[in-house]
Amino acid sequence: MTKKQASHIVDSLESIYPDAVCSLEYEEPWQLLIAVRLSAQCTDARVNNVTKILFEKFPTLQSLADASVEEIAEIIKPCGLYKIKARNIKETCRVLCCDFGGVLPNNMEALLTLPGVGRKTANLILGDIYGIPAVVCDTHCIRITNRLGMINVIDPHKAELSLKELLPPERSNDFCHRLVYHGRDVCTARTKPYCDRCCVSNICARNGVEDEKGKK
């Protein structure tokens, strides 16, 4: 796919989802990090219910770092994988307090040193907290961009690098949020995609649309 075609997709999704933002609720940057950690194999809606309770009981980064793993696990149990998530959350908060002065790092390398933090989480922090161009390759992003023909890889890191070559950097963060909305409403995973109401069906590789060089 060409950059021109990719730009068309970016424009089209923006017109449909102009106000798309991260659906995880938070007030402090560190709270977004915790919420993302809890979202693994869990819905954002459930995470928001759990973090409301978690952050009310532990309103500061230090209080969460001082909490016991058992206390954290009991609250986050509805999110699944709660034992390992609780350990990672406590250790992440401890590291942030001890090694980073309670401030989230603003670079990929430092973020990846935090327990349980991978490139997807790090990119979300960089984009949403620091406004640094980033590509969040979650399941929606990888599924939809492959269906559209924007990329042809399923490895998250390779997908991220491929999309960085195509997307306007200053619009990449919001584009990834819009893919989440589009993936829930139209280009669904569990049922047949609703191609008849898709704003980019005219350029989608799934429909056999040819690119500018005449290749499908």
Side-chain angles (χ1 to χ4, degrees), residues 6-27:
S7 182
H8 169 71
I9 292 173
V10 172
D11 289 341
S12 298
L13 290 177
E14 183 175 355
S15 69
I16 301 297
Y17 311 103
D19 302 316
V21 294
C22 178
S23 55
L24 294 171
E25 298 173 356
Y26 65 98
E27 294 182 359

Side-chain angles (χ1 to χ4, degrees), residues 68-169:
S68 70
V69 171
E70 291 73 21
E71 287 178 301
I72 299 172
E74 183 63 27
I75 295 174
I76 69 171
K77 195 171 184 178
C79 293
L81 303 175
Y82 61 95
K83 292 182 179 179
I84 187 170
K85 288 180 180 179
R87 290 195 296 269
N88 282 343
I89 287 171
K90 177 177 172 62
E91 182 62 12
T92 292
C93 293
R94 186 195 68 79
V95 172
L96 285 173
C97 289
C98 295
D99 298 346
F100 295 99
V103 178
L104 279 183
N106 63 355
N107 63 86
M108 176 67 72
E109 292 73 20
L111 284 167
L112 291 179
T113 66
L114 299 173
V117 173
R119 293 190 66 87
K120 182 186 76 171
T121 299
N123 275 311
L124 181 64
I125 296 299
L126 293 176
D128 279 36
I129 301 300
Y130 292 110
I132 298 172
V135 177
V136 180
C137 279
D138 61 8
T139 55
H140 289 295
C141 177
I142 293 172
R143 180 181 75 256
I144 296 171
T145 54
N146 270 278
R147 279 180 177 174
L148 288 172
M150 297 180 74
I151 60 175
N152 187 31
V153 291
I154 58 174
D155 176 79
H157 191 193
K158 292 179 180 178
E160 175 192 336
L161 296 178
S162 296
L163 287 170
K164 281 183 176 179
E165 293 293 319
L166 276 179
L167 298 172

